[in-house]
């Protein structure tokens, strides 16, 4: 499929609960994931919630990565959204699985902006 | 389904191309979408690309909204990720469709963190 963007939607289960609630570890994992994928990091924003849980986004020139964690369930939702052929989102996915210690995970790949459909309506 | 998060993946086609490339209009649309959904805005980050296109994220206490625009195709990809019952992501979706002038659009709803699956693996 000829698409503008590619999005990996990751369900990260049975993770290391301490890492899911540790701001530095999470931020490092997300930035390392972006770098390993070959992305250009433009900025990041992370927020801690009470009593637990962290949300974070890394904006890259090729789109974004985000993560939301629920330490109480050992669960995190992560998305890796990229465009162009210069980045390898699967590398970022592998880093997140490894750094969060996810012993159970699944990933759905979505194509965003199917050019055949986009172009047929923008003329 | 009993899930931790809900994500609307929006394909916004045949949009107003000027709005897709106008930072203020896009930022206002995204913030209005978050507010109308009843979300609590924690921060935002928008970036303009050369020669065109904008990426933006609004971090909310209930997760996030992001958008990536391709003015040349009249296309934008937007995600509205929420958790909890206090927000109404469909209201945010309607605002984006309206403010971007999307004459063609489709939305997929994903459940993130199915609690039956999460809990079965975190014990």
């Amino acid at each position: 499929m000829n698409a503008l963007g590619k999005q990996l939607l990751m369900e990260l289960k049975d993770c290391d609960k301490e890492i899911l609630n540790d701001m530095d570890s999470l931020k490092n994992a997300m930035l390392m994931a972006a770098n390993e994928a070959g992305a250009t990091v433009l900025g990041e924003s992370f927020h801690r919630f009470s009593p637990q849980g962290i949300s974070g986004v890394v904006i890259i020139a090729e789109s974004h990565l985000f993560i939301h964690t629920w330490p109480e369930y050992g669960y995190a939702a992560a998305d890796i959204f990229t465009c162009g052929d210069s980045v390898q989102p699967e590398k970022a996915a592998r880093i997140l699985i490894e750094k969060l210690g996810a012993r159970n995970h699944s990933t759905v790949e979505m194509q965003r902006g199917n050019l055949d459909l986009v172009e047929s309506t923008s003329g």
Side-chain angles (χ1 to χ4, degrees), chain A:
Chain A
M1 193 191 294
N2 189 13
L4 292 169
K6 177 169 157 178
Q7 186 171 14
L8 302 183
L9 293 95
M10 306 181 71
E11 297 278 295
L12 300 164
K13 291 172 259 188
D14 206 5
C15 298
D16 183 316
K17 294 180 178 183
E18 289 190 12
I19 291 175
L20 294 188
N21 210 30
D22 184 86
M23 182 69 93
D24 288 341
S25 297
L26 263 192
K27 202 179 284 192
N28 287 340
M30 289 283 281
L31 291 172
M32 183 182 291
N35 287 326
E36 287 289 319
T40 302
V41 174
L42 297 179
E44 43 87 351
S45 178
F46 283 75
H47 293 267
R48 174 187 296 284
F49 295 97
S50 177
Q52 55 193 345
I54 292 172
S55 282
V57 63
V58 175
I59 307 275
I60 56 178
E62 302 82 4
S63 292
H64 76 266
L65 293 79
F66 85 71
I67 193 163
H68 300 293
T69 76
W70 282 262
E72 65 272 38
Y73 293 110
Y75 168 79
D79 277 15
I80 302 168
F81 192 120
T82 57
C83 56
D85 297 324
S86 65
V87 284
Q88 296 177 278
E90 293 78 8
K91 284 193 176 179
R94 281 196 291 272
I95 294 284
L96 290 182
I97 291 165
E98 178 193 326
K99 294 295 176 187
L100 273 58
R103 281 165 290 185
N104 187 336
H105 55 86
S106 59
T107 298
V108 172
E109 179 180 325
M110 304 280 288
Q111 302 288 331
R112 302 296 294 265
N114 178 326
L115 275 177
D116 295 329
L117 294 173
V118 165
E119 291 182 322
S120 70
T121 62
S122 69

